[in-house]
Amino acid sequence: MRIVVPAGGIGGARFLRGLKAALANGSPDTDEQITVNNITVIGNTGDDITLFGLRICPDLDTVMYTLGGGIDEERGWGRVDETFTVKEELAAYGMKPTWFGLGDRDTATHIVRAQMIAAGFPLSAVTEALCDRWQPGVRLLPMTDDQVETHVVVDDGQGRRAIHFQEWWIRHRAALPAEQIISVGADAAEPAPGVLAAIAEADAVILPPSNPVVSVGSILNVPGIREAMVAKTVVGVSPIIGGAPVRGMADACLTAIGVETGAGAVAEHLGSDLLDGWLVDEADAGTEVEGIEVRSRPLYMSDPASTEAIARAAVDLAVELAGRGPEGEATRG
Amino acid sequence: MRIVVPAGGIGGARFLRGLKAALANGSPDTDEQITVNNITVIGNTGDDITLFGLRICPDLDTVMYTLGGGIDEERGWGRVDETFTVKEELAAYGMKPTWFGLGDRDTATHIVRAQMIAAGFPLSAVTEALCDRWQPGVRLLPMTDDQVETHVVVDDGQGRRAIHFQEWWIRHRAALPAEQIISVGADAAEPAPGVLAAIAEADAVILPPSNPVVSVGSILNVPGIREAMVAKTVVGVSPIIGGAPVRGMADACLTAIGVETGAGAVAEHLGSDLLDGWLVDEADAGTEVEGIEVRSRPLYMSDPASTEAIARAAVDLAVELAGRGPEGEATRG
């Protein structure tokens, strides 16, 4: 079974760890033994930023570190046993910005990436080279090799202006009301090599509980990706439980684009042309969205076992829907 | 009193600390109160190297850290309380070279420098900006804003080739016989802004016990600098004691250019047109060089007090020689 997962940072990475486990352990309901080589992750690069001459790809790195065993489990981002000497020294020189959490171990990753990009390698090749070390057990592709940056239009009382998503997210903790969220460069971007082929060959696309606006949304903004997914069985895991984000500040993003922070509203926003199935938490049992099969089950990824069970439920729902959908066919008796 | 000091790394930096103390405490022999603002250091940039996209200036940094209180006293180079996480992580990615001692604190300095150079600032402006933090108490100028790199021609049995000085010095510990030492780019280089003016305005030029070939020698290779110094009272402190370098591997450099490793031979190599006075260690008492006033005294910089005394002796000799030289005049009774 081949699965494509468009993923953001922490939520996506943790879900992927559960999905790897679910596939590696086989799925009892599908009675199918599946290897970990069948997951292609399309990583969000809209959060990427260039700071101090380093090219930083927070979401790609979070996926890579999480699946490769290098993540700081408590923070959810960055390297375990991390130190922040370079960051402190840069601040001592008066270098700005000071709000970005640049770790020393992490800095080496960004130096390698910046060097390879300066040498002319596309981000997809750089990501593959970095994964050579981390062996994440999935194929990790950036959504695009082109530069797409998520900017947020804010009004801080001194007038409207667009700031980089990272500045809004980290420096302002998404507390500065956002009037608009823009994928700068998305219109002209092309999916990275392998992205469309992976979707075409996939048995299912599973949307992890990543931020639906700036993570999954950014990926879907790259021309061609959403269209390719529409032709597939797509099952999503709601990142909203009981009207609040499971983690992070997705509500601020949803508000900015005029979408209610609700499990059903997010599914509607993603669209019934795209989504075939939608898992919501038991707190949202009874949610109905026209054209989408909604199932409720516990959705808190509180430990590896619960995360694996959520991933397995998503896979099972995809298999079920593929078996009865108009474009699918029953694959087992 | 205004003094210009062409300086390399560790030896030069330690001597400068002694010189600052000597001038700040006044010189009993000259009965003159002197401030620390009167020292201009012309730093060697021939050792500079670009690694991992970072611009590294080992000698400028050693002077800056040593005089600014940031140096690792035991090693003599790099920052105190240094860690090497970035270096280890780069190696884990398979990045080469692995032989360069890139510290985490140091990395921030190189990032600031690389950023400023990429933004179009000349190295002299970058150095001034970095010194804003370190307040070394001297005016620190690079010998040139142009790129001059010391390369060493070696024959490792697989043929002759030129390697960067740092590779020869650090990776091969100068043990690979050097056939030639070349200041690549020196011919076309110009002294950095302020260098010639500082020499012109100086009461004396003092050569610290830096490597006479790759430190002081590189500086003298920049067209215009040696010529400007020849017109001045120049006193040097021998880096060779009893036929061996005080520190480092200057003997390998001297051998490469066909100069004997001896206090007298080095003075002859520097030239009696340039040198007016030369301090040698008591071990070399009796050394005579035609046209140069040679004095012997203890020259081991074993602690701050002995270093200060050596610096004071150099200043006193310069004052004495300026008072009787053809171009000087007696400045006190």
Side-chain angles (χ1 to χ4, degrees), chain B residues 177-269:
Chain B
E179 297 185 359
Q180 213 180 336
I181 294 177
I182 309 168
S183 283
V184 179
D187 288 351
E190 290 181 17
V195 165
L196 294 185
I199 297 170
E201 292 164 9
D203 297 293
V205 173
I206 297 184
L207 310 186
S210 287
N211 188 311
V213 184
V214 295
S215 296
V216 172
S218 287
I219 298 166
L220 296 176
N221 280 341
V222 177
I225 292 186
R226 190 180 195 284
E227 294 76 353
M229 289 182 179
V230 163
K232 294 295 180 173
T233 301
V234 179
V235 168
V237 179
S238 175
I240 304 295
I241 295 181
V246 178
R247 185 189 169 96
M249 303 159 287
D251 47 340
C253 300
L254 287 165
T255 302
I257 63 165
V259 174
E260 186 200 334
T261 302
V266 168
E268 264 172 40
H269 167 67

Side-chain angles (χ1 to χ4, degrees), chain A residues 263-324:
Chain A
V266 169
E268 266 171 36
H269 166 67
L270 290 169
S272 60
D273 59 330
L274 176 72
L275 275 185
D276 299 289
W278 188 238
L279 293 182
V280 301
D281 188 72
E282 291 174 321
D284 298 304
T287 298
E288 290 189 11
V289 187
E290 197 181 327
I292 300 173
E293 177 77 27
V294 180
R295 300 275 172 86
S296 66
R297 70 168 330 279
L299 282 194
Y300 280 108
M301 300 190 291
S302 39
D303 56 37
S306 60
T307 307
E308 183 181 339
I310 295 166
R312 179 170 292 137
V315 171
D316 289 346
L317 180 55
V319 168
E320 180 190 330
L321 295 174
R324 68 157 120 130

Side-chain angles (χ1 to χ4, degrees), chain A residues 52-54 64-65 79 82-83 85-86 89-90 92-93 95 104-105 107-109 111-112 115 130 133-134, chain B residues 52-54 64-65 79 83 85-86 89-90 92-93 95 104-105 107-109 111-112 115 130 133-134:
Chain A
F52 315 117
L54 308 171
M64 185 172 76
Y65 294 158
R79 297 285 308 280
E82 186 59 292
T83 48
T85 306
V86 173
E89 289 289 328
L90 287 172
Y93 278 115
M95 290 282 274
D104 298 332
R105 291 180 191 278
T107 293
T109 302
I111 287 176
V112 175
Q115 282 289 280
L130 294 172
R133 171 181 176 195
W134 290 103
Chain B
F52 315 116
L54 308 171
M64 184 172 76
Y65 293 158
R79 297 282 310 279
T83 48
T85 306
V86 172
E89 289 288 329
L90 287 171
Y93 278 116
M95 291 282 275
D104 297 334
R105 291 181 192 278
T107 293
T109 302
I111 287 176
V112 175
Q115 284 288 280
L130 294 172
R133 172 182 176 194
W134 290 103

